[in-house]
Amino acid sequence: MAVTLLRCAVIMIGGAHVLFATVLNVRAAETDQLSKPNFIVILADDLGYADVGFQGCQDIPTPNLDKLAHQGICCTQGYVSHSFCSPTRAGLMTGRYQQKYGHENNPRYDPKDTFAGLPTREITVANILSEAGYVTGAVGKWHLGAAPHFHPLKRGFQEYFGLIGGGHDYFDVGEPGESREYRIPLQRNTTPEKFDGYLTDVLSDEAVAFVRRHRDKPFFLYLAYNAPHAPLQAPDRYLERVKHIQDARRRVYGAMIAALDDGVGRLCDALAELGLDKRTLIFFLSDNGEPVDVTHASNAPLRGGKGSVYEGGIRVPFVVRWTGVLPAGYTYNEPVISLDIPVTLAEAAGATLPSDREIDGVNLLPYFLDQHKGAPHEALFWRQGGGTSWAVRRDDWKLVKAGQNQELQLFNLRQDISETTDVKAQYPEICEELQQRYIEWNNHNVPPIFESPRASRDRTVRQRGNAVPKPAN
């Protein structure tokens, strides 16, 4: 009997030890999760380089974006990997030049097109962070394929609310089964849903709700506004703020930016209220330059705009804030690119990047903290139309082929940020070197795997962009 009781006591003590150890392990895991930073990537759509206050804009008020820049780092030479919507988003999701997997065009909106979209073999930053224990949510514009297997919930995001296609009317949601892309219902996860009010405000509300819902867990929020992309539409309360702008198109465009700015402000206010400022790393940028002829935007002093491999198409407003970790009010002047964002997030989270493919982005944090000297990239590359247009930048030098029948042009961006003076004749050796760099880089690329929507549809979208805005709500 005594032996039996002793054995029971040992078992009980051993069991208690195992239970205690299990509780400690659970608590340690919870503490480790809580110590991980949160991430928010805010992407504007077709925002002009010079159309925010921190970039020198005088007529469009952006106090919240200016505050974000003042509290963080403004990257004066921040680039995206393409000059229009979907390819840039593909690179942003994967950290890889999208030409390596053929995503070089905009996919048409067609849920039955099982081919046009971000290839399913590609691993997204949402996949990586989800596996690392993050709650992952996407709000807003997707534009990486409309077929079910391209859906955000199939690409590493656990929650989604937004527009699957490339654009949307800001007031009119349409009906279920609507085939016109700009009027299709939004989706909450995979369920069609209407919205009330102004779309930019609705997306901002959803972003704030996501943060509040997941305040106690490490989260990654991808907030992809479709503003200020056409159609040009804004309610009176935002138009009132820019009534001093005489040009009608720019006035509505400015009102759309004011709405986006308000949304960023409300999101940052929510982080402050919840005590998440110091735990949250934020990136803000645009997906490309603005088509100035559509909205009367400004990419000054840059040449060109959306669709161009000149600076106006690919250099964008680019801000990074991590309160208490990164310096505030700091200007970073080395070239960085949107491909760096997923790599920076993954490494800040302690997550594992894929080892079976080449990752082109780099972790920017050591450069921002002055732990690594020099430029993050030896060279940066762009290719469009399967190679009809391309560019390569190394240090201050940029070599440009602006179209199939265009001659090569060489610019020194330090001396000529507006790319006005071709100095190829004076520096033939630099021109040859950069051309060879492009050829070597391009040898690792593939042709585009799908084509952009037909030109007639593009013209229709442009006409929408020039339309008179809908009545205010």
Side-chain angles (χ1 to χ4, degrees), residues 24 47 123 127 137 145 216 244 285 293 445:
L24 285 180
L47 176 63
I123 297 171
N127 291 132
D216 297 324
H244 57 277
L285 70 162
D293 57 333
N445 298 330

Side-chain angles (χ1 to χ4, degrees), residues 180-243:
R180 288 179 292 171
E181 178 184 345
Y182 274 50
R183 294 189 70 248
I184 61 173
L186 275 63
Q187 290 188 19
R188 185 173 300 281
N189 294 327
T190 58
T191 303
E193 183 172 309
K194 292 189 174 185
F195 67 88
D196 293 319
Y198 185 56
L199 181 54
T200 301
D201 292 338
V202 172
L203 298 181
S204 298
D205 290 343
E206 289 291 331
V208 170
F210 177 88
V211 167
R212 292 189 181 281
R213 198 160 54 244
H214 300 296
R215 68 183 76 180
D216 297 324
K217 305 173 185 176
F219 61 76
F220 165 47
L221 170 63
Y222 172 51
L223 172 56
Y225 287 105
N226 59 314
H229 191 291
L232 296 180
Q233 299 170 330
D236 283 342
R237 63 183 179 278
Y238 295 120
L239 288 166
E240 180 67 19
R241 298 187 197 175
V242 291
K243 62 183 180 181

Side-chain angles (χ1 to χ4, degrees), residues 98-138:
Q98 61 278 357
Q99 295 88 350
K100 290 183 175 179
Y101 46 88
H103 194 123
E104 201 167 341
N105 291 307
N106 287 338
R108 71 181 70 247
Y109 178 79
D110 182 358
K112 296 180 181 179
D113 188 339
T114 60
F115 196 67
L118 178 63
T120 55
R121 64 183 177 275
E122 292 301 315
I123 297 171
T124 73
V125 62
N127 291 132
I128 294 168
L129 293 176
S130 181
E131 291 180 5
Y134 276 71
V135 178
T136 55

